[in-house]
Amino acid sequence: MRILLGLVLFVAGIAGLAWWGSSHQARTIEDEVEVAAKGVVTGAIHPMRVEVSGRDITLTGTADTEDELIDIVASLDAVEGRRVVRSDDVDVLPVADPYETALAKGIDGSLSLTGSAPSAAQAEVAAGHGATGAMDLPLASGAPEGWTEIVGAGVDALGPLDEGSFALTGMTAILSGTAATPREAKAATTALNALPEGIDRVVSVDVLDTGVVSFELIYDAGEGLSAFGTVPENFDAPAMAEALGFTDIAGDTTTTFGMDAALPERLSDLPGLLPDLERLSLRDEGGQIIATGVASPGLDPGYVTSELRATLGDDARIEITAGDAPDDWVTRTNRATGADQVASAGYWLPVYDFEISKQACNDAAAQVQAGRQIQFVTGSAELDTASMSIINDMAGLLLHCTDKIGMRVTIGGHTDSQGDDNENYRLSVARANAVRDALVARGVPAGRMQALGFGETEPIADNDTEEGRAANRRTTFEWPK
């Protein structure tokens, strides 16, 4: 009996040992299959999962393409010890052809991404670049190599732009939008240098401020000042008006960061010339000045041109024509001087409005001539063109002061002491008559004026100096008391 019991126990032990060995070996093989299977899917483009049960392999997850799935299944089939490979639950991404992804930058600076992403991992990288919506993109295969670098270059290119879009279509990247200045446009284009090799690029960026000064400044004696075009932001239309002595300016201008460095100085020298002009159009094309205009009636256009050239520079293009004579007794306010004017005999003359008396007229004549003199061509009685303005002002005064009965003015010609006394006397008479004739031509009654020559007999300064002699060469207007 004991022998039988021992034999049974021996057999049972041998069987248990065999069962334990078989079970242990099966688990070992299953573990080895699982390790090998997981190694196969480690290099997959998208997350994939393998489960091993009884040496059967079940594959789940997402395959980038049918070819990738076939390769993975073939590799799993080659795993030693496996029995069955199941891949029915694997999703294969659709193929996008052409592959499209687009970035849009709004006016608030936000970046939104639309289209397709190659993988969740790459979408996460795009989101890290600041592309809103990247993690919500549907996945699709067929993306160009370096998709994340392409999106990153798009983000960087849109950064300097005010707004715009960056679109990837197949192997072409398209950047469009608006840039504040050429500097930002260049930065956006330069960012595209980070695109992978083989990606074509198309750039269409509008620059809001090109930095080019291009405007027209218009002066009209009766209407005032206006400006149109693109002016420097640090010397805008109001600043131009102020430089020209105006408090207001009409027109429509935009500003640019660009600058014509010589412009402020040029305009600051123009106010003294505006009374000689009926109209002036001053165009600035990137520093090139083009001036066209009309001289005040009676003024020589050549003289006005030379004065403008001295102010605007020898490189300026200037064309001044003669002004048409206005109809008599038309009135206006000259916007450059602020003085009321009346048309007389084809000239614009200032209108004076004060109570007429000999003293008042003498004082007014002195004020008109303060700081300036009627000038003549050297050695002759021909009026210098530069004297036309003062002749006009004096004509307006004489029209007013001779309007009262008994008011007669004496026009005196005076010379310095250089040269022959008799010749100086004859020259002084001729010059006084030349002034009288010019005033008559402007409508002043000839019978209210008397021209006298005094030669060098009434000096007001030392004839031993050039300054003194210049002061003695003068024309006087007096209403004898």
Side-chain angles (χ1 to χ4, degrees):
M1 187 67 180
R2 288 180 182 175
I3 294 173
L4 181 60
L5 180 61
L7 183 60
V8 170
L9 291 173
F10 175 76
V11 172
I14 292 298
L17 182 62
W19 176 85
W20 178 86
S22 175
S23 175
H24 178 73
Q25 184 180 17
R27 285 197 299 273
T28 300
I29 294 173
E30 186 174 319
D31 288 344
E32 290 174 350
V33 170
E34 183 175 4
V35 170
K38 287 182 177 179
V40 169
V41 300
T42 298
I45 295 175
H46 307 281
M48 302 189 77
R49 184 181 176 200
V50 292
E51 292 183 359
V52 177
S53 177
R55 293 185 291 162
D56 293 346
I57 302 174
T58 301
L59 179 65
T60 58
T62 302
D64 195 55
T65 63
E66 287 286 354
D67 288 342
E68 184 192 41
L69 179 58
I70 291 171
D71 289 343
I72 291 174
V73 170
S75 296
L76 291 176
D77 277 338
V79 172
E80 187 176 351
R82 65 97 187 135
R83 282 192 305 210
V84 177
V85 177
R86 299 184 180 89
S87 61
D88 295 341
D89 292 331
V90 175
D91 295 323
V92 179
L93 290 183
V95 178
D97 186 20
Y99 204 91
E100 295 182 329
T101 308
L103 270 167
K105 181 179 182 180
I107 56 176
D108 61 353
S110 63
L111 294 172
S112 58
L113 193 61
T114 57
S116 302
S119 68
Q122 293 184 75
E124 186 175 0
V125 173
H129 284 301
T132 303
M135 299 303 296
D136 298 326
L137 293 182
L139 302 183
S141 63
E145 193 72 26
W147 182 87
T148 53
E149 288 80 3
I150 295 172
V151 173
V155 170
D156 293 341
L158 289 174
L161 302 183
D162 289 354
E163 57 181 325
S165 65
F166 174 84
L168 171 66
T169 301
M171 298 296 287
T172 302
I174 303 170
L175 175 68
S176 61
T178 56
T181 71
R183 180 175 57 253
E184 286 77 19
K186 182 179 180 181
T189 303
T190 301
L192 296 182
N193 291 337
L195 288 171
E197 187 175 351
I199 300 297
D200 297 326
R201 67 193 69 180
V202 177
V203 178
S204 177
V205 175
D206 295 326
V207 178
L208 298 177
D209 181 358
T210 61
V212 176
V213 175
S214 178
F215 68 89
E216 182 179 21
L217 184 65
I218 301 172
Y219 163 74
D220 186 279
E223 298 179 5
L225 204 60
S226 58
F228 302 89
T230 304
V231 301
E233 61 186 6
N234 57 353
F235 195 65
D236 57 9
M240 292 182 192
E242 183 179 357
L244 292 173
F246 286 75
T247 57
D248 62 333
I249 183 169
D252 183 17
T253 61
T254 58
T255 60
T256 175
F257 70 89
M259 180 60 186
D260 176 0
L263 184 60
E265 182 178 355
R266 282 168 165 166
L267 293 193
S268 66
D269 291 337
L270 271 181
L273 301 182
L274 294 183
D276 293 340
L277 290 156
E278 283 298 291
R279 181 178 174 85
L280 176 67
S281 168
L282 192 68
R283 290 180 15 231
D284 188 328
E285 299 292 345
Q288 172 65 59
I289 298 296
I290 303 170
T292 58
V294 178
S296 293
L299 278 185
D300 177 17
Y303 162 73
V304 178
T305 298
S306 65
E307 292 296 297
L308 279 173
R309 190 168 302 285
T311 297
L312 300 178
D314 291 336
D315 58 337
R317 291 162 50 189
I318 302 173
E319 182 179 351
I320 303 298
T321 58
D324 294 332
D327 295 334
D328 280 355
W329 314 121
V330 174
T331 61
R332 73 176 184 189
T333 298
N334 188 294
R335 296 298 301 275
T337 63
D340 293 333
Q341 293 180 317
V342 61
S344 176
Y347 298 87
W348 285 108
L349 309 180
V351 175
Y352 292 86
D353 184 18
F354 59 84
E355 186 175 350
I356 299 174
S357 70
K358 293 181 178 181
Q359 184 60 53
C361 291
N362 281 327
D363 291 344
Q367 186 174 358
V368 169
Q369 296 183 93
R372 56 181 182 163
Q373 289 185 345
I374 296 175
Q375 299 177 10
F376 300 86
V377 175
T378 302
S380 76
E382 180 183 350
L383 282 164
D384 192 290
T385 304
S387 297
M388 292 301 108
S389 177
I390 188 173
I391 290 290
N392 286 345
D393 290 350
M394 195 58 70
L397 176 63
L398 267 61
L399 278 176
H400 179 66
C401 284
T402 60
D403 192 49
K404 186 177 180 180
I405 298 298
M407 293 293 290
R408 291 172 55 85
V409 64
T410 297
I411 303 171
H414 301 265
T415 68
D416 59 30
S417 61
Q418 299 287 94
D420 180 74
D421 294 354
N422 291 330
E423 183 58 35
N424 284 340
Y425 172 73
R426 284 191 294 271
L427 182 60
S428 69
V429 172
R431 286 181 171 178
N433 281 312
V435 172
R436 178 180 177 277
D437 292 344
L439 295 171
V440 169
R442 286 159 174 75
V444 180
R448 302 293 177 88
M449 297 181 290
Q450 180 182 19
L452 297 178
F454 295 92
E456 59 189 73
T457 61
E458 295 186 359
I460 59 172
D462 190 348
N463 274 307
D464 291 334
T465 67
E466 179 53 41
E467 293 78 8
R469 290 191 292 271
N472 290 331
R473 297 189 296 268
R474 68 196 190 279
T475 303
T476 57
F477 299 83
E478 294 185 359
W479 282 261
K481 296 181 176 60

